[in-house]
Short mmCIF file of all heavy atoms in Angstrom, two decimals:
data_model
loop_
_atom_site.label_atom_id
_atom_site.label_comp_id
_atom_site.label_asym_id
_atom_site.label_seq_id
_atom_site.Cartn_x
_atom_site.Cartn_y
_atom_site.Cartn_z
N LEU W 43 -2.23 -14.94 6.43
CA LEU W 43 -1.29 -13.97 6.98
C LEU W 43 -0.13 -13.74 6.02
O LEU W 43 0.24 -12.60 5.73
CB LEU W 43 -0.77 -14.47 8.34
CG LEU W 43 0.40 -13.69 8.94
CD1 LEU W 43 0.01 -12.25 9.18
CD2 LEU W 43 0.88 -14.33 10.22
N ASP W 44 0.43 -14.82 5.53
CA ASP W 44 1.54 -14.68 4.60
C ASP W 44 1.14 -13.85 3.39
O ASP W 44 1.88 -12.98 2.94
CB ASP W 44 2.03 -16.06 4.15
CG ASP W 44 2.93 -16.71 5.19
OD1 ASP W 44 3.21 -16.05 6.21
OD2 ASP W 44 3.36 -17.85 5.00
N LEU W 45 -0.03 -14.13 2.87
CA LEU W 45 -0.50 -13.38 1.71
C LEU W 45 -0.64 -11.90 2.03
O LEU W 45 -0.12 -11.04 1.30
CB LEU W 45 -1.84 -13.93 1.24
CG LEU W 45 -1.78 -15.11 0.28
CD1 LEU W 45 -3.18 -15.58 -0.07
CD2 LEU W 45 -1.04 -14.71 -1.00
N PHE W 46 -1.33 -11.62 3.11
CA PHE W 46 -1.54 -10.21 3.47
C PHE W 46 -0.22 -9.50 3.73
O PHE W 46 -0.06 -8.33 3.41
CB PHE W 46 -2.44 -10.12 4.70
CG PHE W 46 -3.90 -10.30 4.42
CD1 PHE W 46 -4.68 -11.12 5.22
CD2 PHE W 46 -4.52 -9.65 3.35
CE1 PHE W 46 -6.04 -11.29 4.97
CE2 PHE W 46 -5.87 -9.82 3.10
CZ PHE W 46 -6.64 -10.64 3.91
N ARG W 47 0.73 -10.22 4.31
CA ARG W 47 2.01 -9.59 4.59
C ARG W 47 2.76 -9.28 3.31
O ARG W 47 3.45 -8.29 3.19
CB ARG W 47 2.88 -10.51 5.46
CG ARG W 47 2.49 -10.49 6.90
CD ARG W 47 3.39 -11.40 7.70
NE ARG W 47 4.77 -10.94 7.73
CZ ARG W 47 5.78 -11.68 8.13
NH1 ARG W 47 5.58 -12.93 8.52
NH2 ARG W 47 7.00 -11.19 8.15
N GLN W 48 2.63 -10.17 2.35
CA GLN W 48 3.37 -9.96 1.11
C GLN W 48 2.76 -8.86 0.26
O GLN W 48 3.45 -8.04 -0.32
CB GLN W 48 3.40 -11.25 0.28
CG GLN W 48 4.40 -12.28 0.76
CD GLN W 48 4.43 -13.48 -0.17
OE1 GLN W 48 5.08 -13.46 -1.19
NE2 GLN W 48 3.71 -14.52 0.19
N LYS W 49 1.44 -8.86 0.17
CA LYS W 49 0.80 -8.02 -0.83
C LYS W 49 -0.04 -6.89 -0.24
O LYS W 49 -0.53 -6.05 -0.98
CB LYS W 49 -0.08 -8.90 -1.72
CG LYS W 49 0.65 -10.18 -2.16
CD LYS W 49 -0.16 -11.14 -2.99
CE LYS W 49 -0.99 -10.54 -4.06
NZ LYS W 49 -1.08 -11.37 -5.27
N GLY W 50 -0.21 -6.90 1.07
CA GLY W 50 -1.09 -5.90 1.66
C GLY W 50 -2.54 -6.30 1.50
O GLY W 50 -2.87 -7.23 0.76
N PHE W 51 -3.40 -5.58 2.17
CA PHE W 51 -4.81 -5.96 2.18
C PHE W 51 -5.47 -5.82 0.81
O PHE W 51 -6.05 -6.77 0.29
CB PHE W 51 -5.57 -5.10 3.20
CG PHE W 51 -7.02 -5.44 3.31
CD1 PHE W 51 -7.43 -6.53 4.05
CD2 PHE W 51 -7.97 -4.67 2.67
CE1 PHE W 51 -8.78 -6.85 4.16
CE2 PHE W 51 -9.33 -4.98 2.77
CZ PHE W 51 -9.73 -6.07 3.51
N ASP W 52 -5.34 -4.67 0.22
CA ASP W 52 -6.05 -4.43 -1.04
C ASP W 52 -5.58 -5.32 -2.17
O ASP W 52 -6.37 -5.77 -2.99
CB ASP W 52 -5.88 -2.96 -1.46
CG ASP W 52 -6.67 -2.04 -0.56
OD1 ASP W 52 -7.68 -2.49 0.01
OD2 ASP W 52 -6.28 -0.87 -0.43
N ASN W 53 -4.29 -5.54 -2.23
CA ASN W 53 -3.74 -6.31 -3.34
C ASN W 53 -3.88 -7.81 -3.16
O ASN W 53 -3.48 -8.58 -4.04
CB ASN W 53 -2.28 -5.95 -3.57
CG ASN W 53 -2.16 -4.64 -4.30
OD1 ASN W 53 -2.86 -4.41 -5.28
ND2 ASN W 53 -1.28 -3.78 -3.85
N THR W 54 -4.40 -8.23 -2.04
CA THR W 54 -4.69 -9.64 -1.87
C THR W 54 -6.15 -9.86 -2.22
O THR W 54 -7.05 -9.43 -1.51
CB THR W 54 -4.44 -10.08 -0.42
OG1 THR W 54 -3.10 -9.76 -0.06
CG2 THR W 54 -4.65 -11.57 -0.28
N SER W 55 -6.39 -10.50 -3.35
CA SER W 55 -7.76 -10.66 -3.81
C SER W 55 -8.37 -11.94 -3.22
O SER W 55 -7.67 -12.83 -2.75
CB SER W 55 -7.80 -10.73 -5.33
OG SER W 55 -7.19 -11.91 -5.77
N LEU W 56 -9.69 -11.98 -3.28
CA LEU W 56 -10.38 -13.18 -2.86
C LEU W 56 -9.88 -14.39 -3.62
O LEU W 56 -9.76 -15.50 -3.09
CB LEU W 56 -11.89 -13.02 -3.08
CG LEU W 56 -12.70 -12.48 -1.92
CD1 LEU W 56 -12.82 -13.53 -0.84
CD2 LEU W 56 -12.09 -11.22 -1.36
N GLU W 57 -9.56 -14.17 -4.88
CA GLU W 57 -9.05 -15.26 -5.70
C GLU W 57 -7.69 -15.73 -5.17
O GLU W 57 -7.45 -16.94 -5.04
CB GLU W 57 -8.91 -14.79 -7.15
CG GLU W 57 -8.30 -15.84 -8.04
CD GLU W 57 -9.05 -15.97 -9.36
OE1 GLU W 57 -10.03 -15.21 -9.58
OE2 GLU W 57 -8.66 -16.84 -10.16
N ASP W 58 -6.82 -14.79 -4.85
CA ASP W 58 -5.53 -15.15 -4.25
C ASP W 58 -5.77 -16.02 -3.01
O ASP W 58 -5.13 -17.07 -2.85
CB ASP W 58 -4.78 -13.89 -3.81
CG ASP W 58 -4.28 -13.07 -4.98
OD1 ASP W 58 -4.04 -13.66 -6.06
OD2 ASP W 58 -4.15 -11.85 -4.84
N LEU W 59 -6.68 -15.57 -2.18
CA LEU W 59 -6.92 -16.26 -0.92
C LEU W 59 -7.47 -17.67 -1.15
O LEU W 59 -6.95 -18.63 -0.61
CB LEU W 59 -7.89 -15.44 -0.06
CG LEU W 59 -7.30 -14.18 0.55
CD1 LEU W 59 -8.39 -13.24 1.06
CD2 LEU W 59 -6.35 -14.54 1.69
N THR W 60 -8.51 -17.76 -1.96
CA THR W 60 -9.13 -19.08 -2.15
C THR W 60 -8.16 -20.04 -2.83
O THR W 60 -8.15 -21.23 -2.51
CB THR W 60 -10.41 -18.97 -2.98
OG1 THR W 60 -10.14 -18.26 -4.19
CG2 THR W 60 -11.49 -18.25 -2.21
N ARG W 61 -7.33 -19.54 -3.72
CA ARG W 61 -6.36 -20.41 -4.38
C ARG W 61 -5.35 -20.91 -3.36
O ARG W 61 -5.08 -22.10 -3.26
CB ARG W 61 -5.66 -19.68 -5.53
CG ARG W 61 -4.96 -20.65 -6.46
CD ARG W 61 -4.27 -19.98 -7.66
NE ARG W 61 -4.77 -18.67 -7.98
CZ ARG W 61 -4.10 -17.54 -7.76
NH1 ARG W 61 -2.92 -17.59 -7.18
NH2 ARG W 61 -4.62 -16.39 -8.12
N ALA W 62 -4.81 -19.99 -2.57
CA ALA W 62 -3.78 -20.38 -1.60
C ALA W 62 -4.35 -21.30 -0.53
O ALA W 62 -3.68 -22.22 -0.06
CB ALA W 62 -3.19 -19.13 -0.96
N LEU W 63 -5.59 -21.08 -0.16
CA LEU W 63 -6.19 -21.88 0.91
C LEU W 63 -6.84 -23.15 0.36
O LEU W 63 -7.29 -24.00 1.14
CB LEU W 63 -7.24 -21.06 1.67
CG LEU W 63 -6.74 -19.78 2.31
CD1 LEU W 63 -7.85 -19.11 3.09
CD2 LEU W 63 -5.56 -20.07 3.23
N ASP W 64 -6.91 -23.25 -0.95
CA ASP W 64 -7.55 -24.38 -1.60
C ASP W 64 -8.98 -24.60 -1.12
O ASP W 64 -9.34 -25.68 -0.67
CB ASP W 64 -6.72 -25.66 -1.41
CG ASP W 64 -7.26 -26.81 -2.24
OD1 ASP W 64 -7.78 -26.55 -3.35
OD2 ASP W 64 -7.20 -27.97 -1.77
N LEU W 65 -9.73 -23.55 -1.19
CA LEU W 65 -11.16 -23.68 -0.92
C LEU W 65 -11.88 -22.63 -1.74
O LEU W 65 -11.27 -21.72 -2.27
CB LEU W 65 -11.45 -23.52 0.58
CG LEU W 65 -10.78 -22.39 1.35
CD1 LEU W 65 -11.54 -21.09 1.15
CD2 LEU W 65 -10.75 -22.72 2.83
N ASN W 66 -13.17 -22.76 -1.84
CA ASN W 66 -13.90 -21.81 -2.67
C ASN W 66 -14.54 -20.71 -1.83
O ASN W 66 -14.64 -20.79 -0.62
CB ASN W 66 -14.92 -22.53 -3.53
CG ASN W 66 -15.56 -23.65 -2.76
OD1 ASN W 66 -15.80 -23.50 -1.57
ND2 ASN W 66 -15.81 -24.77 -3.41
N ARG W 67 -14.93 -19.69 -2.55
CA ARG W 67 -15.34 -18.47 -1.88
C ARG W 67 -16.42 -18.68 -0.81
O ARG W 67 -16.24 -18.22 0.33
CB ARG W 67 -15.79 -17.45 -2.91
CG ARG W 67 -15.07 -16.15 -2.78
CD ARG W 67 -15.21 -15.28 -3.98
NE ARG W 67 -14.37 -15.72 -5.09
CZ ARG W 67 -14.14 -14.98 -6.16
NH1 ARG W 67 -14.73 -13.80 -6.29
NH2 ARG W 67 -13.36 -15.42 -7.10
N PRO W 68 -17.48 -19.35 -1.10
CA PRO W 68 -18.52 -19.49 -0.06
C PRO W 68 -18.01 -20.14 1.22
O PRO W 68 -18.44 -19.76 2.31
CB PRO W 68 -19.57 -20.36 -0.75
CG PRO W 68 -19.41 -20.06 -2.19
CD PRO W 68 -17.93 -19.89 -2.39
N SER W 69 -17.11 -21.08 1.09
CA SER W 69 -16.54 -21.69 2.28
C SER W 69 -15.80 -20.66 3.11
O SER W 69 -15.94 -20.59 4.33
CB SER W 69 -15.57 -22.81 1.90
OG SER W 69 -16.26 -23.82 1.21
N LEU W 70 -15.03 -19.86 2.41
CA LEU W 70 -14.27 -18.83 3.10
C LEU W 70 -15.22 -17.85 3.81
O LEU W 70 -14.99 -17.47 4.96
CB LEU W 70 -13.39 -18.09 2.10
CG LEU W 70 -12.24 -17.26 2.65
CD1 LEU W 70 -11.13 -17.14 1.61
CD2 LEU W 70 -12.69 -15.88 3.07
N TYR W 71 -16.27 -17.49 3.11
CA TYR W 71 -17.21 -16.54 3.72
C TYR W 71 -17.96 -17.16 4.89
O TYR W 71 -18.22 -16.49 5.89
CB TYR W 71 -18.18 -16.01 2.66
CG TYR W 71 -17.58 -14.85 1.91
CD1 TYR W 71 -16.69 -15.06 0.87
CD2 TYR W 71 -17.87 -13.54 2.27
CE1 TYR W 71 -16.11 -13.99 0.19
CE2 TYR W 71 -17.30 -12.47 1.59
CZ TYR W 71 -16.43 -12.70 0.57
OH TYR W 71 -15.86 -11.65 -0.08
N ALA W 72 -18.29 -18.44 4.74
CA ALA W 72 -18.97 -19.11 5.84
C ALA W 72 -18.09 -19.15 7.07
O ALA W 72 -18.56 -18.98 8.19
CB ALA W 72 -19.37 -20.51 5.41
N ALA W 73 -16.80 -19.36 6.86
CA ALA W 73 -15.89 -19.52 7.99
C ALA W 73 -15.46 -18.19 8.59
O ALA W 73 -15.26 -18.09 9.81
CB ALA W 73 -14.67 -20.32 7.56
N PHE W 74 -15.30 -17.16 7.75
CA PHE W 74 -14.68 -15.94 8.25
C PHE W 74 -15.52 -14.67 8.08
O PHE W 74 -15.08 -13.59 8.48
CB PHE W 74 -13.34 -15.72 7.56
CG PHE W 74 -12.33 -16.80 7.83
CD1 PHE W 74 -12.04 -17.75 6.87
CD2 PHE W 74 -11.69 -16.87 9.06
CE1 PHE W 74 -11.11 -18.75 7.12
CE2 PHE W 74 -10.77 -17.87 9.31
CZ PHE W 74 -10.49 -18.82 8.34
N GLY W 75 -16.68 -14.79 7.47
CA GLY W 75 -17.48 -13.57 7.31
C GLY W 75 -17.20 -12.91 5.99
O GLY W 75 -17.76 -13.26 4.98
N ASN W 76 -16.29 -11.96 6.00
CA ASN W 76 -15.88 -11.34 4.73
C ASN W 76 -14.39 -10.99 4.80
O ASN W 76 -13.70 -11.34 5.75
CB ASN W 76 -16.74 -10.14 4.41
CG ASN W 76 -16.63 -9.06 5.45
OD1 ASN W 76 -15.75 -9.11 6.31
ND2 ASN W 76 -17.50 -8.10 5.39
N LYS W 77 -13.94 -10.27 3.79
CA LYS W 77 -12.50 -10.02 3.70
C LYS W 77 -11.98 -9.25 4.91
O LYS W 77 -10.92 -9.56 5.44
CB LYS W 77 -12.22 -9.24 2.41
CG LYS W 77 -10.82 -9.41 1.88
CD LYS W 77 -10.59 -8.53 0.65
CE LYS W 77 -9.12 -8.43 0.33
NZ LYS W 77 -8.83 -7.44 -0.73
N GLU W 78 -12.74 -8.26 5.33
CA GLU W 78 -12.28 -7.47 6.46
C GLU W 78 -12.22 -8.28 7.76
O GLU W 78 -11.25 -8.20 8.51
CB GLU W 78 -13.18 -6.25 6.69
CG GLU W 78 -12.85 -5.08 5.80
CD GLU W 78 -13.86 -4.95 4.68
OE1 GLU W 78 -15.04 -5.27 4.91
OE2 GLU W 78 -13.49 -4.55 3.56
N THR W 79 -13.29 -9.03 8.02
CA THR W 79 -13.29 -9.81 9.26
C THR W 79 -12.21 -10.89 9.20
O THR W 79 -11.59 -11.21 10.22
CB THR W 79 -14.66 -10.44 9.51
OG1 THR W 79 -15.07 -11.12 8.33
CG2 THR W 79 -15.69 -9.37 9.84
N LEU W 80 -11.97 -11.41 8.01
CA LEU W 80 -10.86 -12.35 7.87
C LEU W 80 -9.56 -11.66 8.26
O LEU W 80 -8.76 -12.20 9.03
CB LEU W 80 -10.77 -12.86 6.43
CG LEU W 80 -9.48 -13.60 6.06
CD1 LEU W 80 -9.31 -14.85 6.91
CD2 LEU W 80 -9.45 -13.96 4.59
N PHE W 81 -9.37 -10.46 7.73
CA PHE W 81 -8.15 -9.72 8.04
C PHE W 81 -8.01 -9.52 9.54
O PHE W 81 -6.93 -9.65 10.11
CB PHE W 81 -8.15 -8.38 7.32
CG PHE W 81 -6.90 -7.58 7.52
CD1 PHE W 81 -5.79 -7.82 6.73
CD2 PHE W 81 -6.82 -6.60 8.50
CE1 PHE W 81 -4.62 -7.09 6.91
CE2 PHE W 81 -5.66 -5.87 8.68
CZ PHE W 81 -4.56 -6.11 7.89
N GLN W 82 -9.12 -9.21 10.17
CA GLN W 82 -9.06 -8.99 11.62
C GLN W 82 -8.67 -10.25 12.37
O GLN W 82 -7.91 -10.19 13.32
CB GLN W 82 -10.39 -8.43 12.12
CG GLN W 82 -10.50 -6.94 11.86
CD GLN W 82 -11.80 -6.35 12.36
OE1 GLN W 82 -12.87 -6.82 11.98
NE2 GLN W 82 -11.73 -5.33 13.18
N GLU W 83 -9.20 -11.38 11.91
CA GLU W 83 -8.80 -12.64 12.56
C GLU W 83 -7.32 -12.90 12.34
O GLU W 83 -6.59 -13.34 13.23
CB GLU W 83 -9.64 -13.81 12.02
CG GLU W 83 -11.05 -13.82 12.60
CD GLU W 83 -11.63 -15.23 12.64
OE1 GLU W 83 -10.92 -16.18 13.00
OE2 GLU W 83 -12.83 -15.38 12.28
N VAL W 84 -6.89 -12.64 11.10
CA VAL W 84 -5.46 -12.80 10.79
C VAL W 84 -4.63 -11.90 11.70
O VAL W 84 -3.61 -12.31 12.25
CB VAL W 84 -5.20 -12.46 9.31
CG1 VAL W 84 -3.71 -12.27 9.05
CG2 VAL W 84 -5.75 -13.54 8.41
N LEU W 85 -5.11 -10.69 11.85
CA LEU W 85 -4.40 -9.73 12.68
C LEU W 85 -4.27 -10.23 14.11
O LEU W 85 -3.19 -10.14 14.73
CB LEU W 85 -5.16 -8.40 12.64
CG LEU W 85 -4.51 -7.20 13.29
CD1 LEU W 85 -3.14 -6.95 12.70
CD2 LEU W 85 -5.40 -5.98 13.13
#
Side-chain angles (χ1 to χ4, degrees):
Chain W
L43 170 61
D44 280 357
L45 274 178
F46 281 135
R47 281 180 66 194
Q48 282 185 82
K49 315 177 44 145
F51 182 80
D52 288 334
N53 282 315
T54 304
S55 68
L56 267 288
E57 176 135 2
D58 290 333
L59 287 165
T60 52
R61 196 178 339 108
L63 302 183
D64 188 33
L65 45 82
N66 39 37
R67 234 164 283 192
S69 298
L70 197 154
Y71 275 81
F74 298 104
N76 62 11
K77 205 184 166 188
E78 277 104 33
T79 50
L80 167 62
F81 183 84
Q82 280 180 304
E83 284 208 42
V84 165
L85 187 57

